[in-house]
Amino acid sequence: MADTPLTVIGAGVVGLAVAARLAPRFPGLVILERRERHGTETSSRNSEVIHAGLYYPTASAKARFCVRGKELLYEACERRGVPCDRIGKLVVALSPDEIPELERLRALGHANGVELTMLSAAECRRLEPGVPAVAGLLSPSTGIISAHGLMDTLLQQARSAGALLQPRAEVVGIERRDRDYRLTVQGPEETEDLTSERVVNAAGLESDTVAALAGIDVESAGYRQHWWKGRYFAVRGPKGRVLSRLVYPGPTAVSLGVHAILGLDGRLRFGPDAEYLPERHLDFEVEETSRDAFAEGVRRLVPGIAPEDLTPDTAGIRAKLQGPGEGFRDFVVSEETPRGLPGLVTLAG
């Protein structure tokens, strides 16, 4: 008999959401997290935005999860007291040649079921006087959330249903057996084995590494991830109050562009940029020397903010399935079922 019916690898927001949902069905569920506490990597180093779903191809998992997920998220936040605010977002064209991109996004968003309104330059200026937009696309369902508040709530839900979180527990081996999996887990002092009937791989940055431990050919399966670093700079002083909502440029091939983010505390940040990390190393430094180059994108979006108004804030690393120069790749949600038995579910990208 296995030690546990279900193990979730990774205690980021995805792993915690899986555990919160499944813990009542799988008594004794175990969550393994390699860090000292939950949610310290990608899940806490981001824009903390609840996206509307306007960027993704219709019927893709990204579009479906985003559009339905945002409403479920708002409902859960209200029910459980997680701080959030449906603050709205303005995607802007800063020159006439960028207007067709807004029109494309509006058509795509409408096809995905997202409420969007096209705005003129004058309407944009009434909403955000500091942004030199020639047109805009208003998304009223976009919001902001406390990432830590959400994760703490999900962990409490999972624990209330009997789940166990084991921090400082890195999975270094996975062996498929006849009726379960043997997980080799490296702790702070020793290596131990854990047997589990089912496994959910929600390891975030290392989802492909964990899949490979289970014998999956991640290249042929399409699970290979690419790491992209994104830096953030905060605005200090009174200029930190120049905006009243999220403001985004048109998206680029690899990101949504350096955008203006308002936190629940009213603090204004800009970011992230997108730097490919071919060596896949955890680099969370925000170099002061990158401020001037970063400020070019900021000043294009909000000309009143100068380089000296910006201070290094934080950085995050995102795992994408697409590498440099590659096109859209959807989420991986895939289950391996050897011999027809419940198997390993991999969540990647």
Side-chain angles (χ1 to χ4, degrees):
M1 182 175 179
D3 296 324
T4 178
L6 176 62
T7 298
V8 177
I9 303 174
V13 69
V14 174
L16 292 172
V18 169
R21 183 63 178 266
L22 296 183
R25 289 174 47 194
F26 295 94
L29 180 153
V30 174
I31 311 165
L32 300 176
E33 169 55 46
R34 65 174 175 166
R35 299 300 175 194
E36 291 75 12
R37 69 185 309 275
H38 60 286
T40 61
E41 290 187 0
T42 308
S43 297
S44 59
R45 295 174 170 273
N46 55 68
S47 301
E48 294 187 299
V49 171
I50 301 175
H51 286 289
L54 62 116
Y55 295 104
Y56 310 117
T58 304
S60 66
K62 288 187 176 182
R64 292 185 291 108
F65 293 178
C66 199
V67 174
R68 178 64 178 138
K70 75 180 177 210
E71 297 306 328
L72 293 172
L73 194 50
Y74 283 127
E75 293 168 8
C77 287
E78 181 177 359
R79 186 169 64 251
R80 298 188 176 274
V82 177
C84 72
D85 188 359
R86 201 181 295 237
I87 194 173
K89 173 170 76 174
L90 185 63
V91 186
V92 297
L94 299 171
S95 62
D97 62 337
E98 295 179 355
I99 294 176
E101 175 64 9
L102 294 191
E103 294 171 339
R104 183 190 71 83
L105 287 177
R106 178 177 63 171
L108 180 58
H110 283 170
N112 291 346
V114 180
E115 178 187 358
L116 297 166
T117 303
M118 200 75 171
L119 302 181
S120 66
E123 290 170 323
C124 290
R125 288 301 182 99
R126 280 197 291 272
L127 292 179
E128 298 295 347
V131 180
V134 299
L137 190 62
L138 182 64
S139 169
S141 64
T142 301
I144 52 179
I145 188 171
S146 167
H148 285 291
L150 174 62
M151 289 189 287
D152 289 347
T153 297
L154 291 170
L155 178 56
Q156 190 275 329
Q157 284 181 250
R159 281 175 163 163
S160 295
L164 170 68
L165 170 65
Q166 181 61 57
R168 296 193 296 174
E170 182 175 3
V171 176
V172 295
I174 302 176
E175 177 191 357
R176 285 195 182 101
R177 308 199 306 174
D178 286 343
R179 296 190 176 276
D180 59 23
Y181 290 81
R182 185 197 302 274
L183 307 179
T184 304
V185 182
Q186 177 66 58
E189 297 179 356
E190 60 182 352
T191 300
E192 298 181 334
D193 286 341
L194 171 74
T195 57
S196 183
E197 293 176 9
R198 299 169 175 83
V199 178
V200 174
N201 168 15
L205 293 172
E206 301 289 357
S207 287
D208 53 350
T209 304
V210 170
L213 291 176
I216 296 171
D217 184 338
V218 296
E219 297 290 352
S220 62
Y223 296 176
R224 174 65 67 200
Q225 296 186 142
H226 302 270
W227 286 16
W228 295 82
K229 177 181 177 179
R231 302 169 184 81
Y232 293 85
F233 280 76
V235 181
R236 52 192 170 191
K239 291 184 180 179
R241 305 290 173 176
V242 298
L243 300 176
S244 58
R245 60 185 48 76
L246 306 170
V247 179
Y248 282 56
T252 70
V254 297
S255 76
L256 301 185
V258 171
H259 48 266
I261 309 139
L262 284 174
L264 289 166
D265 57 0
R267 192 167 68 106
L268 176 61
R269 296 187 299 153
F270 284 88
D273 57 359
E275 177 192 357
Y276 183 58
L277 299 179
E279 300 303 320
R280 286 178 52 151
H281 59 288
L282 286 174
D283 174 15
F284 295 127
E285 183 181 2
V286 182
E287 308 85 353
E288 181 75 33
T289 55
S290 65
R291 182 176 62 176
D292 288 346
F294 196 94
E296 292 181 14
V298 173
R299 292 194 70 181
R300 186 168 183 265
L301 201 60
V302 187
I305 295 178
E308 56 268 23
D309 298 319
L310 299 173
T311 184
D313 190 62
T314 189
I317 298 174
R318 181 177 178 183
K320 291 174 172 282
L321 292 172
Q322 62 265 40
E326 297 178 353
F328 174 82
R329 292 285 303 279
D330 209 353
F331 293 139
V332 166
V333 182
S334 179
E335 183 176 15
E336 311 292 326
T337 53
R339 296 174 295 280
L341 298 172
L344 169 73
V345 176
T346 293
L347 311 174

